[in-house]
Amino acid sequence: MSQFTIMIDTGCDLPETFIKENNLSIIPVPFNLDGKEHVGGRWQEISDKQFYDALRNGGKAGTTLINPEAFTEVFTEYAKKGEALLHISLSSGLSGTYQNALLALNDVKEAYPDCQIRSVDSLNAAPGIGLVTVLAIKKRNEGATLDETADYLEAQRNKCFSLFTVDDLMFLHRGGRVSKFSAIAGSIIGVKPVLNVCPDGTLKLKDKARGRKGSLEMLVNQMKRSLSPDTKRLGTVLIGHGDCEADAQTVANMIKADYDVEDIKIVLIGPVIGAHSGPGTIALFFEADMTRTEYEAKFYPAK
């Protein structure tokens, strides 16, 4: 088995047990709630349930970038020990985290030219980063080298889809992820927005559905149209939820009714992403048979 460590941040939303089982390293993304900063990112003094209840009661939440100094400290530790490291980052289209990682990596490589460290932009969000991480784990287990795995992820990430529906777009607007116009348009009574992470890693409002059930069905239908009609078996599928597990299970049942799924995980979207997406978010992550670029060109051509 190829020996290198895979490092992700607390915005990946993979279960803690999965992280431990696969020996993943974690770097925390600080988040704040009602003026109090939580620098550990997750699994600390506030539970995810308490976090979402606070948002429902009018609480204000946000996140802070992992600064270059934090990356430098971690990268230097691996460089000094001569250990290989693969860092998988939140999309550069949604955060400056990847840029900060590259700044730090450039400095570390000047001091340790022979260090074996790669940073990969997932071009995904929330459990979408987790999906890219699952692919990295599989490649590592197959014996792929650090560079082979990083190159594979950069080639495959455009087939890793991230689809979202949210209850309230104003959370995304406050975080600068969608425009005020989109947020207001998506808040029309009875209409639920459906958003996609685009090929460049940005999040865009793509469709609207009537009611909650309609938005969940649209997520699954979007998945279906990205797959070949001959596809009957899927690999790993992740379904993220913002403290609404029953809806996530509904989506899982819809998928399993039509596909044989190798591994389907329902995961809670934690505070790092939940601060921007809000309670009631449902997100679907999977590998498609076409790239996101091809999908956009076919179903959402530029006007």
Side-chain angles (χ1 to χ4, degrees):
M1 183 184 297
S2 180
Q3 295 298 314
F4 60 88
T5 299
I6 298 171
M7 185 178 79
I8 50 180
D9 64 46
T10 45
C12 73
D13 294 325
L14 286 169
E16 187 177 10
T17 53
F18 182 87
I19 289 170
K20 289 180 177 178
E21 288 168 1
N22 291 280
N23 297 314
L24 302 179
S25 176
I26 294 286
I27 184 168
V29 179
F31 73 89
N32 57 76
L33 178 62
D34 291 330
K36 181 179 179 180
E37 187 171 43
H38 299 263
V39 296
R42 209 177 162 183
W43 307 310
Q44 48 187 348
E45 71 269 17
I46 182 172
S47 71
D48 294 315
K49 176 66 175 173
Q50 289 172 320
F51 173 78
Y52 279 111
D53 283 345
L55 293 187
R56 291 188 179 100
N57 292 324
K60 298 294 188 295
T63 54
T64 306
L65 290 180
I66 303 173
N67 60 46
E69 290 76 18
F71 279 118
T72 298
E73 181 179 349
V74 174
F75 292 162
T76 299
E77 179 183 342
Y78 280 86
K80 282 182 176 179
K81 293 188 293 187
E83 296 180 0
L85 176 69
L86 172 61
H87 166 243
I88 301 174
S89 174
L90 172 65
S91 172
S92 61
L94 297 171
S95 167
T97 298
Y98 178 63
Q99 287 83 354
N100 283 352
L102 290 186
L103 286 172
L105 186 52
N106 287 336
D107 288 343
V108 173
K109 283 185 174 180
E110 286 187 8
Y112 302 90
D114 297 327
C115 70
Q116 300 178 66
I117 303 174
R118 287 280 297 269
S119 184
V120 172
D121 183 355
S122 72
L123 291 178
N124 271 277
I129 311 167
L131 178 59
V132 175
T133 302
V134 169
L135 299 184
I137 292 168
K138 288 181 178 179
K139 293 298 287 186
R140 183 178 65 179
N141 290 347
E142 291 169 1
T145 66
L146 168 67
D147 285 331
E148 288 170 344
T149 303
D151 292 344
Y152 171 77
L153 297 183
E154 289 176 345
Q156 195 68 13
R157 63 191 174 188
N158 203 15
K159 284 190 173 183
C160 294
F161 277 52
S162 297
L163 313 176
F164 290 78
T165 185
V166 298
D167 260 357
D168 187 351
L169 271 172
M170 292 308 295
F171 284 99
L172 288 170
H173 168 61
R174 290 189 205 111
R177 268 61 180 184
V178 299
S179 68
K180 186 174 183 179
F181 173 79
S182 294
I184 294 173
S187 298
I188 298 173
I189 294 175
V191 174
K192 296 297 180 182
V194 176
L195 305 99
N196 298 10
V197 176
C198 300
D200 63 357
T202 58
L203 186 65
K204 297 287 177 61
L205 177 63
K206 292 297 183 182
D207 279 302
K208 303 183 189 76
R210 288 289 176 185
R212 180 66 162 182
K213 182 181 178 182
S215 68
L216 301 184
E217 290 173 345
M218 185 173 285
L219 287 180
V220 178
N221 288 335
Q222 283 203 7
M223 181 183 78
K224 288 180 178 179
R225 69 186 188 182
S226 73
L227 299 170
S228 165
D230 298 328
T231 296
K232 301 300 179 184
R233 181 170 174 78
L234 301 177
T236 297
V237 174
L238 300 178
I239 303 169
H241 68 93
D243 198 28
C244 50
E245 187 172 356
D247 285 342
Q249 188 60 60
T250 296
V251 173
N253 293 340
M254 289 181 193
I255 295 170
K256 288 188 286 188
D258 292 318
Y259 299 97
D260 176 19
V261 186
E262 177 184 324
D263 182 27
I264 189 163
K265 297 185 194 304
I266 293 177
V267 298
L268 185 68
I269 297 173
V272 173
I273 301 301
H276 304 288
S277 58
T281 297
I282 290 288
L284 179 56
F285 310 92
F286 59 94
E287 283 185 88
D289 293 326
M290 63 173 67
T291 66
R292 285 184 279 173
T293 303
E294 293 167 336
Y295 185 86
E296 289 270 322
K298 183 174 183 178
F299 297 108
Y300 303 104
K303 296 180 181 179

